[in-house]
Amino acid sequence: MRLSLVLFALVLLTGCGAGSGNRSRVRVGSGVFPPAITMLSPNTVPVGSPGFTITVVGDNFGPDALLYWNGAPASTILVNSKQLMAQITNIDLQTVGLVPIFVRTAGQNSNTVDFQVSIQ
């Protein structure tokens, strides 16, 4: 009888797996899908441009999602599990070339996507 009560209490405290449906990461078994970037907006700006907000669209962005611009973390705001926005400064836009961007969340990195800082 005591064992049944303990098990029942554990189920109540931890839940039975039926969540609210508002999950930031998709789980399959014990694994977690890594984040993935599918689109950047904008995906290019001219060198020397003023700072701007970049929108990143993808999948599996969690509440701790952080955009990395050329290997350095950027100020990031999570919109939802499929979209985030990050501040890119004018200092980040002083050199022409491709800038690698990725998102880190839940200890996992997304694919890397190149952002183009173009010649004016």
Side-chain angles (χ1 to χ4, degrees), residues 1-68:
M1 180 69 172
R2 278 190 181 158
L3 181 58
S4 296
L5 288 175
V6 169
L7 288 174
F8 181 71
L10 282 173
V11 169
L12 286 177
L13 289 173
T14 61
C16 59
S20 66
N22 188 12
R23 300 250 187 246
S24 60
R25 294 181 301 273
V26 178
R27 294 183 182 273
V28 173
S30 62
V32 175
F33 285 114
I37 297 174
T38 57
M39 185 182 81
L40 303 175
S41 181
N43 61 4
T44 185
V45 298
V47 67
S49 293
F52 69 98
T53 300
I54 188 169
T55 300
V56 179
V57 177
D59 284 306
N60 306 319
F61 300 148
D64 65 338
L66 194 57
L67 179 126
Y68 282 78

Side-chain angles (χ1 to χ4, degrees), residues 52-54 65-67 72-77 84-89:
F52 69 98
T53 300
I54 188 169
L66 194 57
L67 179 126
S75 177
T76 307
I77 297 171
L84 58 83
M85 298 181 338
Q87 289 299 124
I88 307 303
T89 69

